[in-house]
Amino acid sequence: MSSDIDPITLAVLAGRMEQIADEMDATLFRAAFNPIIAEAHDASHGLYHAVSGDTLVQGKSGLPIFVGVMSFAVKAVIDKAAGTGALSDGDIYIFNDAHMGGTHLSDMRLVRPYFHDGELFCYLASVGHWHDVGGAVPGNYNPSATDVFQEAFVLPPVKLARGGEMQQDIIDILLRNTRLPQSAMGDLNGQLGALDLGVRRLDELLGEYGADTVRAALDALQDRADALMRAELSGLPDGRWQATDFLDNDGITDTALPICVTLEIEGDRLVLDFEGTAPVTAGPVNIALPTAVATAYVAVKHIFPDLPANSGVMRPIEVRVPEGSLLAAQFPAPVGGYTETILRMIDVIFSAASLAAPERVVANAYGTINALSIAGKRGNGAPWVMFSFYGGGHGGSIESDGLNHGNAPISTATIPPMEILEAAYPVMFRQWALRPDSAGAGAHRGGLGAIYEIEVLEETAEAFLFGERGRFAPQGVSGGAPGAMNVFHYEQEDGWKAPPLASKMVGIKLRKGQAVRLETPGGGGYGDAANRAPDAVARDVALGYLSAEAATETYGPAWQEHTS
């Protein structure tokens, strides 16, 4: 029936359904209590297939990584409902088990079946990064975890609501397993509100157009995404290209971990084979298979940005992940640092794709979210947990220099503003600035990383860092140079110290007036630095992006003729 729907109706329905998901995003962003959702937009909403769980529509403001993983989350609920034989209008499932639904335990998933005229039509889902869900480390990024139980409270798919009636015992369990119950309750209510809005909007849409027409539109959109992806692949050369990059370590043993990919194009098919990647690790840089597949989708979507955001895009693509690798970890392997690993996956896919179609990719971005948690107790005894992630430089491209101080390419999230963090927590930013000389050189240079220096204002606090790129710099492409590596220091009574594992550390004791300092990586360069315009080099020097010494050493003295 999908072929029978006329193009105008299809376009209207596509816009209406995208608007439903976008409104659900906006509802949660306005209502959430914690700044990781409210300010950074670490959340997502979408519509999912009633039988397969495949992504039908996703909001444009949420995290792209959730497009793929949430289909696995919905499938986990479908399987759970099939096993129990019970699914009713008004049911809502909740869980955070990352091995079933992807990403990590901080991401709380709510899945709600949507019924129309007594028949299951699709699923609505909401996912948001809760501020704290128990575990050994406030904020849940524990670089020394050796299983998921040291990372957070693990919740399998359970019914939060049965036929529209909330299950208070489930809420009680959730709130008992967080250091910040008020924040958790606020985020939960925000997600419930988003799902309620999605139901109302779908009622309006199906009431206006009918279930058959809307279903036909969803099928047509999937088919068209498939056809568009095949057309894009057919326009690229056939061949096999390989790339390898490394994680610093797993947080337990100081050994580099390779992430490998072979990219193969044959006609209108693409294979991404990760054979050669390091095995499952003791520490929490593992990811579950759903996360690996979703990451491949995110990378492909970056390379082909005009494609729609639904599962039809992935039909011509095969993702091969070797069993036993850190990209296919089984429960209860720790997965808390999934962000670092998926960023490296995207880097190697970009590097391999640059050998096939350099005009379509950018050089490596800074490649770490630098999950930094600072926690303690206020003067009145109330606990506080400042968890945030931080920006860095993006890679240069065939068209332009990389973005300075951007957010990670796994997301459309924003870095929480300094003013919000200072208002919410007893900290003061001594510095929030661009990092000079951090960009990878190239015909188009990478973007600059950033410098953050954060002072503690309470009597005592404890800091935890889960980062990467402290040993392996973001790579350039097409002859571009790498960006600067990640640097972290923390202040003690006898001066500044550095973590033994470069980018990961737990239990950093801080006193009032002491600080931590992050210097984040710059992006890789694009093209040979010898081809950079001297006036562009002079402009970077004038703006303070590049020191005169580094400019002359990297690009030669010609830039000096363009100074005023």
Side-chain angles (χ1 to χ4, degrees), residues 42 51 68 85 132 176 186 190 195 234 236 293 313 345 369 376 423 427 460 465 495 513 521 554:
D42 193 343
V51 177
D132 182 88
R176 194 66 168 177
L195 291 174
S234 296
L236 298 179
V293 174
V313 169
M345 281 184 68
I369 71 163
V427 300
T460 61
L465 177 71
T554 303

Coordinates of all heavy atoms in Angstrom, one line a residue, residues 42 51 68 85 132 176 186 190 195 234 236 293 313 345 369 376 423 427 460 465 495 513 521 554:
D42 N 20.6 15.7 26.4 CA 21.0 14.3 26.4 C 19.8 13.5 26.6 O 19.6 12.9 27.6 CB 22.1 14.1 27.4 CG 22.8 12.7 27.2 OD1 22.3 11.9 26.4 OD2 23.9 12.5 27.8
V51 N 6.0 -4.3 15.5 CA 6.5 -5.7 15.5 C 8.0 -5.8 15.6 O 8.5 -6.6 16.4 CB 6.0 -6.4 14.2 CG1 6.5 -7.8 14.1 CG2 4.5 -6.4 14.1
G68 N 19.5 4.4 16.7 CA 19.7 2.9 16.5 C 19.4 2.2 17.8 O 18.7 1.1 17.8
G85 N 3.0 -12.4 27.9 CA 1.6 -12.5 27.3 C 0.7 -11.4 27.7 O -0.5 -11.5 27.7
D132 N 22.0 10.8 38.3 CA 22.7 9.8 39.1 C 21.8 8.6 39.3 O 20.6 8.8 39.7 CB 23.1 10.4 40.5 CG 23.9 9.4 41.3 OD1 25.1 9.3 41.2 OD2 23.2 8.6 42.1
R176 N 15.1 5.2 45.6 CA 16.0 4.7 46.6 C 17.4 4.4 46.1 O 18.3 4.3 46.9 CB 15.4 3.4 47.3 CG 16.0 3.0 48.6 CD 15.7 4.0 49.7 NE 16.1 3.5 51.0 CZ 16.0 4.2 52.1 NH1 15.5 5.5 52.1 NH2 16.3 3.7 53.3
G186 N 11.9 14.5 39.0 CA 11.6 15.5 38.0 C 11.9 15.0 36.6 O 11.0 15.3 35.7
G190 N 9.1 14.4 33.6 CA 9.3 15.0 32.3 C 9.1 14.0 31.2 O 8.5 14.3 30.1
L195 N 5.7 11.4 26.8 CA 4.9 10.3 26.2 C 3.4 10.6 26.2 O 2.8 10.2 25.2 CB 5.2 9.0 27.1 CG 6.6 8.4 27.1 CD1 6.7 7.3 28.1 CD2 6.9 7.9 25.6
S234 N 25.9 3.6 -4.6 CA 26.1 3.3 -6.0 C 27.0 4.4 -6.7 O 27.7 4.1 -7.7 CB 24.8 3.2 -6.8 OG 24.1 2.1 -6.3
L236 N 29.6 5.8 -5.3 CA 31.0 5.7 -4.8 C 31.7 4.5 -5.4 O 31.1 3.6 -5.9 CB 30.9 5.5 -3.3 CG 30.3 6.6 -2.5 CD1 30.3 6.3 -1.0 CD2 31.0 7.9 -2.7
V293 N 26.1 -1.2 16.6 CA 25.3 -1.0 15.4 C 24.7 0.4 15.2 O 24.8 1.0 14.2 CB 24.1 -2.1 15.4 CG1 23.2 -1.8 14.2 CG2 24.6 -3.5 15.4
V313 N 17.5 3.4 6.2 CA 18.9 3.8 5.9 C 19.8 2.6 6.0 O 20.8 2.4 5.3 CB 19.4 5.0 6.7 CG1 20.9 5.2 6.5 CG2 18.6 6.2 6.3
M345 N 35.0 4.6 17.3 CA 34.4 3.9 16.1 C 34.1 4.9 15.0 O 34.4 4.6 13.8 CB 33.1 3.2 16.5 CG 33.2 1.9 17.3 SD 31.6 1.1 17.6 CE 31.1 0.7 15.9
I369 N 34.3 12.8 25.5 CA 33.4 13.8 26.1 C 34.0 14.3 27.5 O 33.5 15.2 28.1 CB 32.0 13.2 26.4 CG1 32.0 12.1 27.5 CG2 31.4 12.7 25.1 CD1 30.6 11.8 28.0
G376 N 30.2 16.2 46.4 CA 30.5 16.4 47.9 C 29.3 16.6 48.6 O 28.2 16.3 48.2
A423 N 25.7 28.2 39.0 CA 24.5 28.5 39.8 C 24.0 27.3 40.5 O 23.5 27.4 41.6 CB 23.4 29.1 38.9
V427 N 30.9 25.5 42.7 CA 32.2 25.6 42.0 C 32.3 27.0 41.3 O 31.3 27.7 41.1 CB 32.2 24.5 40.9 CG1 32.1 23.1 41.5 CG2 31.2 24.7 39.8
T460 N 35.3 20.4 51.1 CA 35.9 19.2 50.5 C 35.0 18.8 49.3 O 33.8 19.0 49.3 CB 36.1 18.1 51.5 OG1 34.8 17.7 52.0 CG2 36.9 18.4 52.7
L465 N 37.3 11.4 36.7 CA 37.4 11.7 35.3 C 37.4 10.5 34.5 O 38.1 9.5 34.8 CB 38.7 12.5 35.0 CG 38.9 12.8 33.5 CD1 37.9 13.8 33.0 CD2 40.3 13.2 33.2
G495 N 51.1 21.1 44.7 CA 51.2 21.4 43.3 C 50.2 20.7 42.4 O 49.3 19.9 42.9
G513 N 39.2 25.8 47.4 CA 40.2 26.6 46.7 C 41.1 25.8 45.7 O 41.8 26.4 44.9
P521 N 41.3 18.1 23.4 CA 42.0 18.0 22.1 C 41.4 19.0 21.1 O 40.2 19.3 21.1 CB 41.7 16.6 21.7 CG 41.4 15.9 23.0 CD 40.7 16.9 23.8
T554 N 55.1 25.3 11.6 CA 54.1 24.4 10.9 C 53.9 24.8 9.4 O 53.9 24.0 8.5 CB 52.8 24.4 11.6 OG1 53.0 24.0 13.0 CG2 51.8 23.5 10.9

